[in-house]
Amino acid sequence: MGEPITVAISLARRMASVMVSDKRLPTGEEVRNLLKELGLEELYLGKGLALFRSRDVIALLFPRENIVVDIIPASGEVSDALEVIAYHDRKLNSLILEILPANDLEYEGNIGIEPVIVNLETGELESNPVLGDFEEDKDGIYLVIDEKTFERWKEGGNLDTCPICGGELRWRGKRAVCLDCGYGVKVK
């Protein structure tokens, strides 16, 4: 997990799984365990905050009524920092999970990730987020998604739009590479 975006998308996939299967937000304890599962070491826990670190990123977890996870590069470069935010929207009666720039003014890229929206009345996923885990091979770093996610994405009609940055994707079989951010997408 080398960059905030790779941690954020992998964390969001795991949190969304809890939201869809259990029709609730994950607890602070569950998110702590998910961050550890992603290879981050817990350095501090207390006073409404948990601090995690890996070689490349720092994550701050604020578990309250809503869940907020700030993910910052270990270099401290705020322009690449992201927030994973999960909350209950009472007006829509839905659970929402978004990945947003932590600092809109300084963020250097674009976040193309569609929010996770779970309708609490039906328990259905009402959006088409493209979430998965990352793996690196000789050709680059790829967001690895499953067939179900791919089919839902395909139905949304946005297969040529990078789910990470919103840029343009070029496909070759079950792999694509973004011409803007350089990340790839692989369907397994």
Side-chain angles (χ1 to χ4, degrees), residues 131-149:
L131 302 173
D133 288 311
F134 286 83
E135 71 180 34
E136 188 170 1
D137 66 17
K138 64 181 178 10
D139 297 327
I141 300 174
Y142 287 87
L143 171 63
V144 180
I145 62 173
D146 59 28
E147 283 285 341
K148 185 177 177 183
T149 300

Side-chain angles (χ1 to χ4, degrees), residues 52-73:
F52 297 83
R53 178 165 183 147
S54 71
R55 186 181 60 130
D56 302 311
V57 297
I58 297 168
L60 298 164
L61 167 63
F62 302 95
R64 297 187 181 104
E65 182 179 328
N66 303 325
I67 300 289
V68 176
V69 181
D70 288 338
I71 304 168
I72 305 161

Side-chain angles (χ1 to χ4, degrees), residues 159-176:
L159 283 181
D160 293 330
T161 303
C162 177
I164 299 168
C165 76
E168 185 180 348
L169 285 179
R170 294 281 190 213
W171 286 90
R172 282 198 185 148
K174 294 274 187 172
R175 288 180 172 219

Side-chain angles (χ1 to χ4, degrees), residues 70-72 78 80-83 100-104 107:
D70 288 338
I71 304 168
I72 305 161
V78 179
D80 292 335
L82 298 172
E83 284 187 326
L100 305 168
N103 182 346
D104 285 337
Y107 191 76

Side-chain angles (χ1 to χ4, degrees), residues 67-159:
I67 300 289
V68 176
V69 181
D70 288 338
I71 304 168
I72 305 161
S75 67
E77 187 65 38
V78 179
S79 63
D80 292 335
L82 298 172
E83 284 187 326
V84 177
I85 302 171
Y87 58 94
H88 177 199
D89 186 313
R90 296 186 196 312
K91 197 173 192 179
L92 297 175
N93 195 26
S94 296
L95 300 175
I96 313 282
L97 184 145
E98 298 180 273
I99 300 174
L100 305 168
N103 182 346
D104 285 337
L105 298 175
E106 291 203 21
Y107 191 76
E108 292 176 355
N110 179 23
I111 300 289
I113 302 157
E114 188 170 335
V116 174
I117 303 171
V118 179
N119 183 312
L120 286 175
E121 290 178 21
T122 65
E124 297 293 317
L125 185 62
E126 293 188 336
S127 59
N128 297 314
V130 181
L131 302 173
D133 288 311
F134 286 83
E135 71 180 34
E136 188 170 1
D137 66 17
K138 64 181 178 10
D139 297 327
I141 300 174
Y142 287 87
L143 171 63
V144 180
I145 62 173
D146 59 28
E147 283 285 341
K148 185 177 177 183
T149 300
F150 178 74
E151 290 303 319
R152 196 174 58 244
W153 182 23
K154 188 176 178 180
E155 288 173 16
N158 294 328
L159 283 181

Side-chain angles (χ1 to χ4, degrees), residues 33-53:
N33 290 330
L34 294 175
L35 286 163
K36 290 177 194 175
E37 184 181 301
L38 291 172
L40 280 80
E41 176 188 0
E42 187 174 62
L43 299 177
Y44 174 79
L45 174 64
K47 299 184 182 184
L49 168 76
L51 172 66
F52 297 83
R53 178 165 183 147

